[in-house]
Amino acid sequence: MTAMSATHAAPELTARAVLLDMDGTLVNSDAVVERCWRRWADRHGLDFDEVIKVVHGRQGYASMAVLLPGRPMAENHAENREMLAAETADMEGVVPVPGAPAFMAALARLNLPHALVTSADVPLSTGRMAAAGLALPAVRVTAESVGASKPDPEGFLKGAAALGFDPADCVVFEDSEAGIRAGQAAGMRVVGVGPRAAALGPTVHVDDLTRVGVADAGDGLIRLTFG
């Protein structure tokens, strides 16, 4: 059975819309992320083990600002563009998170409101979803869509608005500290996915998506079950 640890343990949640992070939640891109950020860490003389603790969930420029405090943001943005290009060119080892194909297929088949909310840009999110064999949702909030990176809630709030729902009616699926904090700051319940999420106080925690059930509960509600 999928492990569940929760701030408020619940066998199910109901929502009107689902907002989905990509990396670590739907797509396992850790191999690429680690290759690209290891090169960056080496170039700047930083400890990779410390770097990798920071980068998950954030846009690259925001991670660089944390890791190289005081450096001009223009340099962070310039290196972030290089990082995005390098990651987009490298799809080796990109695979779906277990259960993601069936989970996404169920949302699409039942025509349930859902959106991708990712710190990746359009080319990177397009490439990684394709590499993982996952269909892109019709609504997608990417790096180009926001002025602030997670843990700022802007992306999730824009996702909810694009789907036409109040934040309180949305459930976020996230794996990283930055993403979980963003969902919580947006006033949304959060399903934490994978090992990084377990200790971060999500509403519900699951190891992966293999035992997450999706159903149309009627009256515009989505039923999510766990375990």
Side-chain angles (χ1 to χ4, degrees):
M1 179 176 290
T2 299
M4 186 188 306
S5 58
T7 304
H8 305 289
E12 67 177 49
L13 297 172
T14 56
R16 296 192 180 277
V18 175
L19 302 178
L20 305 159
D21 174 53
M22 182 180 71
D23 293 303
T25 302
L26 300 176
V27 174
N28 183 343
S29 57
D30 283 358
V32 180
V33 171
E34 290 176 9
R35 281 195 294 272
C36 290
W37 281 97
R38 188 179 294 278
R39 289 194 296 267
W40 185 88
D42 289 346
R43 187 161 69 245
H44 291 282
L46 299 175
D47 181 347
F48 171 74
D49 290 337
E50 296 303 313
V51 168
I52 203 64
K53 292 176 184 177
V54 172
V55 303
H56 291 295
R58 291 181 171 88
Q59 291 192 45
Y61 75 84
S63 297
M64 293 170 189
V66 172
L67 293 162
L68 295 174
R71 189 171 80 152
M73 283 302 296
E75 293 184 33
N76 296 333
H77 282 286
E79 283 201 335
N80 185 48
R81 288 190 290 272
E82 296 174 4
M83 180 71 72
L84 286 168
E87 290 187 276
T88 302
D90 183 358
M91 294 294 160
E92 184 177 352
V94 174
V95 295
V97 166
F103 176 69
M104 295 296 287
L107 288 170
R109 183 178 68 253
L110 297 170
N111 197 30
L112 301 174
H114 62 289
L116 192 71
V117 181
T118 175
S119 293
D121 62 6
V122 167
L124 183 57
S125 59
T126 300
R128 283 192 177 158
M129 290 290 281
L134 300 174
L136 279 165
V139 175
R140 179 172 32 157
V141 179
T142 63
E144 298 94 336
S145 310
V146 298
S149 170
K150 299 172 185 177
D152 190 282
E154 181 184 1
F156 286 123
L157 293 172
K158 284 193 170 181
L163 292 171
F165 296 101
D166 290 335
D169 290 327
C170 299
V171 168
V172 166
F173 281 72
E174 263 286 0
D175 73 298
S176 70
E177 181 175 9
I180 289 172
R181 298 290 175 251
Q184 292 168 334
M188 301 174 183
R189 291 157 293 161
V190 179
V191 177
V193 181
R196 284 190 288 267
L200 299 173
T203 311
V204 173
H205 173 254
V206 294
D207 294 334
D208 54 35
L209 301 175
T210 54
R211 295 186 182 272
V212 178
V214 181
D216 185 341
D219 296 324
L221 291 173
I222 302 167
R223 179 178 291 112
L224 300 164
T225 55
F226 309 92

